[in-house]
Amino acid sequence: MDRPPVEKVPTRGSLITGYLLLIYTAIAFAAVLIIANAIISNHNVRWDLTPNQRYSLSDFDKRVLGGLTHPVKVMAFVRTEDPAYLELAELLFQAAAFTPQLQYEVIDVNKAPGLARQFGVSSYGEVVVESQGRRRDFDNARSELLIPAILQTSSNQSKHIYLTVGHGERDLFNADRNSGFSQFRGLLEQNNYQIDNVSLFAGGVPDDAKVLVSVGPEKDFLPEELAELAKYLARGGHYLVMLDPYGSPSLAKFLTQYHLEFTDQVVVDPAYRLTQGEILTTRIPLRSDNSAITRSMSGDAVMSLVRGIIVSGQPGAAGPDGLELASTIELLRSSHESWASGDPKALTTGITEYQSGRDTKGPITVGAEVNLAPATNPHIPLQQMTRIVGFGSSAFASNQFLEMLGNRDLAVSAINSLAGDDVLIASRERLNRGETAGFFVTAGQSHLLRDLGAGLETIILFAIATLVFVRRRFFV
Amino acid sequence: MSNGAATLEAARTAGEAGRVSARGMRVGFSLGRMLAVTRKELQSYFAFPLVYILTGLFAFMAGLYAWTDLDFFETIAFAKDIIQNYWQLLFTDIRFCLLLTLPFLTMRLFAEERKLGTIELLYTYPLRDGEILGGKFLASEVILLMMLGLTVLYPVYLYSVHRFPLFPLVAGYLGLFLIGSAFLAFGVFVSSLCESQVMAGIGTILPLLFFWVLNWNETSFQGNAIEALRSVSLFDNFGTFAKGVIDLNHVTYFIFFVAFFVYLTLQSMEARKWTGRR
């Protein structure tokens, strides 16, 4: 590699030879690098430094994929120039590499409109997951929905939820933006639940019921209906009840036998009301770490017109039909600044002040779970116990409130927990991962960042440039 | 340039201590001689206003992006998931700032010396081509690190306002350093071919821009072609770093990219022996 002097003018031939040699060595070197890169990509290692390893297969993902017993086909109908689908494509690649049961195709809707029509796909970003003749679609090519969709289509379980009717319960088929509950029903269907109504008066709760649900009943339950409900609970039934203030007094009284006491006091919390909102619509900041239901929540619950609940018994306390209280969990509690108002006008006027003697100081329990086992055999597994989850309001699951903070997680996880579907609860935790890093700055803080970054640093550097210029121009 | 000459004198002394070939030339790569060239280059950088103006422009653009991205993030993304939204957006924008400024840093490395005739002087010193190139490249890397150091202000300030996960930023900054090094390697190569600084600057930016936009119109390509384009795209290979993920595949891609253009630059320097050009 010594550098000899150029002693003579190079000839045309030697130049051509030199350039050819140069091109050859450059191409050969490039080829070596490309092959080396290809080998490395086949033995790739990645370090996901994001919280909760957002861009890697989680333990939950691996559990779902590893448990696949039937082939699953995923078709993502996207616009390939849309960068939003890249995350999904990456997850599909990793999932397919993890299990041979998964096959996938990424299809450009513009290039394969016929295929898109065949699958009834009309929008960009729709993903179709198929297994065992079952199909599940989701929009916007969201990677976090892929694994739950695979889980739902590949699961063989038949899951029936029954809704009590005839007492002014909320309508889960009502799509009204405020008062409807259709989004809640849609979420449950996405989780593979079959939803049917049941009349307790006409015949009792069917044996295949995973969960019995009462969403905001207003009128009293008849004694015959309560007897059927008691029978269902006596045989280890799972019941979710969302009881609004002053709703269905007979049901509220019935539930006190199970140590779940719905009070006639409405929770008031000026400290945690929504911005510029009234005092009866409030965030519920305290939630239990002992329950999978509340652990899966990505944020606080938001409740409106919520009544307090008292868990009136300790484990071991006697219940009806030979049952005994096995465990209790206070799922949700309002803040320490809140109180439960006994003011009957509060509900209609939305205005009330704390009054000692009449009102109860917070925190007030607004969501609770009681689990009862036969007194003769108190150590049976949780899923075989009689389980009742109660919330002091139904509005949090309505179309108006469902998408607020942690409401969606609360509503769906309550069902999943009672149905014994821990995997689905874990899937909600996956859905929420990475979304907890909320970040708020004020306008002043944002402007200070601008002034420091684009202002101060720039001025200092330009000042130095000016000094250097002046020094060189006039003093050197 | 007196400081630079003195530094090179030190290099000459260091070189004289090295082994000598039968034809009286130095053999063996010396880190000391390379660092002497680096020192000379840095002194030359800081003796002129250009580097301050470039870093000032970079700080201005990056600072504006840091501010506007934050506002966008707060209003559109509803302040959810800072990794996914703010840092990914900001790192992608800083990458663009590097693309606009680094070619003006590298354009002078060889082209200016060739135009001023100082390259002949440089070649008279007992330095190997690799030492000269290594010294110049290392000096430009120092400036790149200085530029990236200016942007550390944003996470430091924002962390004082609100705690957030810092590890993903490590991946982002590694990605910025690697893509910046790739820009530098390409720029040094172009500079080694040109006599005009302007040509070297434009000749660096335009191909890099071309490679950036190459896979924008993806509908024009079939599946495998677009995947191939993505795998060789400087800009697509940066994506995982911005998300907070270090992917060995992408790290080696950038290292190989740098190695390839450093190799080409060495060949370009070598070619003067048989082409007779300076």
Side-chain angles (χ1 to χ4, degrees):
Chain A
M1 293 293 283
D2 282 347
R3 191 179 301 124
V6 179
E7 290 166 354
K8 57 183 178 182
V9 177
T11 64
R12 185 184 172 83
S14 69
L15 274 179
I16 290 173
T17 308
Y19 278 120
L20 284 176
L21 200 63
L22 177 60
I23 291 167
Y24 168 73
T25 53
I27 290 173
F29 187 59
V32 168
L33 294 183
I34 288 168
I35 290 167
N37 207 33
I39 292 169
I40 290 168
S41 69
N42 282 335
H43 301 84
N44 195 26
V45 180
R46 57 168 29 210
W47 296 273
D48 190 342
L49 303 183
T50 57
N52 304 319
Q53 280 72 54
R54 182 188 177 90
Y55 298 105
S56 307
L57 290 179
S58 68
D59 290 341
F60 167 72
D61 298 341
K62 289 174 182 169
R63 192 148 46 106
V64 172
L65 293 169
L68 288 178
T69 52
H70 294 87
V72 175
K73 188 170 185 187
V74 181
M75 280 171 291
F77 291 90
V78 298
R79 261 189 319 182
T80 43
E81 64 265 37
D82 182 357
Y85 92 93
L86 289 176
E87 197 177 316
L88 175 75
E90 197 173 293
L91 182 63
L92 282 169
F93 175 79
Q94 290 184 52
F98 186 81
T99 172
Q101 296 283 19
L102 183 83
Q103 290 183 320
Y104 75 95
E105 276 183 76
V106 177
I107 299 154
D108 192 323
V109 178
N110 291 331
K111 290 176 184 170
L115 198 60
R117 266 200 307 278
Q118 184 188 332
F119 280 88
V121 171
S122 55
S123 59
Y124 294 118
E126 191 162 337
V127 180
V128 177
V129 182
E130 286 185 333
S131 180
Q132 304 173 78
R134 282 199 290 265
R135 170 174 163 163
R136 165 94 169 80
D137 295 14
F138 60 89
D139 294 331
N140 303 324
R142 289 174 63 192
S143 62
E144 63 267 34
L145 293 178
L146 176 68
I147 301 295
I150 290 172
L151 179 68
Q152 289 152 25
T153 51
S154 61
S155 170
N156 285 320
Q157 286 184 336
S158 166
K159 302 186 295 186
H160 250 109
I161 296 173
Y162 288 95
L163 305 171
T164 60
V165 290
H167 318 93
E169 283 95 339
R170 310 300 176 202
D171 182 2
L172 266 65
F173 285 86
N174 183 351
D176 184 87
R177 190 170 159 271
N178 293 327
S179 59
F181 280 68
S182 58
Q183 289 182 25
F184 182 39
R185 177 177 57 83
L187 280 175
L188 295 177
E189 286 174 347
Q190 280 179 20
N191 282 263
N192 248 16
Y193 290 107
Q194 284 179 264
I195 303 167
D196 286 304
N197 292 334
V198 63
S199 168
L200 296 174
F201 189 72
V205 183
D207 288 339
D208 66 347
K210 283 275 184 185
V211 186
L212 180 70
V213 184
S214 294
V215 184
E218 293 172 347
K219 299 175 193 165
D220 277 329
F221 280 54
L222 296 172
E224 294 86 345
E225 291 176 309
L226 292 174
E228 288 296 337
L229 183 55
K231 274 191 217 168
Y232 170 69
L233 292 173
R235 62 175 196 259
H238 297 168
Y239 185 38
L240 172 63
V241 54
M242 304 176 190
L243 202 52
D244 294 312
Y246 308 116
S248 193
S250 66
L251 179 63
K253 188 179 172 192
F254 169 81
L255 290 170
T256 56
Q257 304 171 73
Y258 297 87
H259 303 284
L260 206 55
E261 195 176 306
F262 286 81
T263 71
D264 282 333
Q265 292 180 314
V266 181
V267 174
V268 179
D269 194 348
Y272 278 84
R273 66 179 176 177
L274 296 184
T275 310
Q276 306 302 324
E278 32 81 8
I279 54 174
L280 300 181
T281 300
T282 169
R283 278 165 52 200
I284 308 295
L286 305 176
R287 50 185 197 263
S288 169
D289 290 332
N290 297 326
S291 166
I293 299 173
T294 38
R295 271 203 312 271
S296 74
M297 292 169 68
S298 62
D300 294 342
V302 178
M303 297 226 170
S304 184
L305 310 183
V306 57
R307 70 198 291 179
I309 299 174
I310 296 169
V311 178
S312 54
Q314 295 293 321
D321 303 315
L323 296 171
E324 172 185 299
L325 200 55
S327 61
T328 63
I329 304 173
E330 292 184 338
L331 297 169
L332 297 168
R333 291 185 304 152
S334 58
S335 78
H336 291 272
E337 292 84 8
S338 68
W339 70 88
S341 171
D343 182 356
K345 291 179 186 170
L347 212 57
T348 47
T349 61
I351 303 167
T352 187
E353 293 286 334
Y354 176 77
Q355 193 175 310
S356 182
R358 182 193 67 181
D359 301 338
T360 309
K361 273 193 172 296
I364 305 295
T365 300
V366 296
E369 174 180 342
V370 291
N371 303 306
L372 300 100
T376 52
N377 187 14
H379 300 298
I380 57 175
L382 181 67
Q383 280 306 320
Q384 290 174 19
M385 290 185 188
T386 296
R387 300 181 64 194
I388 305 174
V389 171
F391 294 115
S393 170
S394 63
F396 78 93
S398 69
N399 293 349
Q400 185 179 13
F401 288 97
L402 190 67
E403 292 299 327
M404 286 190 182
L405 298 180
N407 282 6
R408 177 211 283 245
D409 303 321
L410 178 66
V412 179
S413 292
I415 296 282
N416 285 338
S417 173
L418 287 174
D421 218 331
D422 292 337
V423 178
L424 276 175
I425 294 178
S427 93
R428 294 215 67 74
E429 289 174 6
R430 185 193 192 284
L431 278 172
N432 295 329
R433 72 183 190 177
E435 290 193 354
T436 52
F439 189 84
F440 296 91
V441 294
T442 63
Q445 289 164 337
S446 166
H447 290 157
L448 184 58
L449 178 70
R450 175 198 60 190
D451 295 343
L452 289 172
L456 186 66
E457 283 186 345
T458 310
I459 289 169
I460 290 172
L461 286 160
F462 281 177
I464 296 172
T466 309
L467 284 174
V468 170
F469 174 77
V470 169
R471 181 174 168 273
R472 290 196 64 81
R473 180 74 178 80
F474 300 106
F475 299 102
V476 177
Chain B
M1 300 287 277
S2 57
N3 282 342
T7 310
L8 283 178
E9 276 305 316
R12 182 198 292 275
T13 312
E16 281 165 359
R19 288 186 294 129
V20 179
S21 74
R23 294 166 65 180
M25 306 301 288
R26 301 294 144 208
V27 292
F29 186 91
S30 162
L31 193 64
R33 288 198 294 269
M34 189 190 85
L35 290 177
V37 177
T38 304
R39 277 196 296 276
K40 174 253 173 189
E41 280 298 323
L42 285 174
Q43 283 164 358
S44 140
Y45 269 131
F46 292 119
F48 290 90
L50 177 69
V51 76
Y52 302 106
I53 292 170
L54 278 179
T55 48
L57 280 173
F58 173 80
F60 179 71
M61 287 190 292
L64 272 185
Y65 275 128
W67 171 56
T68 53
D69 288 350
L70 188 64
D71 275 5
F72 172 81
F73 167 72
E74 289 288 328
T75 52
I76 305 297
F78 302 109
K80 268 197 163 186
D81 196 355
I82 191 165
I83 313 299
Q84 182 70 14
N85 292 286
Y86 181 63
W87 294 118
Q88 191 171 344
L89 193 60
L90 182 59
F91 283 132
T92 308
D93 289 335
I94 292 176
R95 175 193 67 174
F96 181 64
C97 301
L98 289 176
L99 174 66
L100 291 184
T101 48
L102 288 180
F104 295 100
L105 193 72
T106 54
M107 69 182 185
R108 56 172 293 283
L109 282 175
F110 285 98
E112 185 190 36
E113 295 224 39
R114 194 170 282 124
K115 189 176 180 185
L116 296 174
T118 53
I119 196 126
E120 299 288 4
L121 182 67
L122 190 63
Y123 286 148
T124 63
Y125 285 95
L127 295 166
R128 290 166 55 85
D129 288 350
E131 291 161 358
I132 295 172
L133 176 59
K136 284 176 175 288
F137 188 68
L138 193 59
S140 58
E141 291 275 21
V142 171
I143 305 295
L144 168 64
L145 284 175
M146 200 179 89
M147 285 175 158
L148 295 181
L150 292 171
T151 67
V152 172
L153 175 77
Y154 320 141
V156 167
Y157 171 68
L158 290 175
Y159 194 78
S160 73
V161 173
H162 186 107
R163 299 287 183 268
F164 53 84
L166 288 172
F167 276 120
L169 304 191
V170 175
Y173 274 105
L174 176 67
L176 285 177
F177 176 71
L178 288 171
I179 199 170
S181 300
F183 293 158
L184 290 177
F186 186 75
V188 170
F189 169 63
V190 174
S191 180
S192 75
L193 299 176
C194 300
E195 285 204 19
S196 158
Q197 287 191 59
V198 177
M199 284 303 295
I202 293 171
T204 305
I205 288 183
L206 287 184
L208 287 175
L209 274 176
F210 174 75
F211 282 116
W212 190 13
V213 302
L214 189 61
N215 57 0
W216 277 12
N217 190 12
E218 299 183 28
T219 47
S220 306
F221 299 97
Q222 294 304 313
N224 289 338
I226 198 67
E227 287 307 317
L229 283 177
R230 279 220 178 90
S231 65
V232 298
S233 164
L234 268 178
F235 301 90
D236 282 7
N237 273 287
F238 176 75
T240 48
F241 293 103
K243 288 193 295 190
V245 177
I246 298 175
D247 196 309
L248 184 64
N249 191 23
H250 298 312
V251 173
T252 52
Y253 166 81
F254 282 114
I255 290 172
F256 288 171
F257 187 94
V258 171
F260 182 65
F261 281 101
V262 166
Y263 170 79
L264 286 186
T265 311
L266 271 175
Q267 292 301 310
S268 165
M269 294 168 77
E270 176 76 13
R272 77 177 184 281
K273 294 173 191 170
W274 44 268
T275 57
R277 72 179 173 86
R278 286 189 300 167

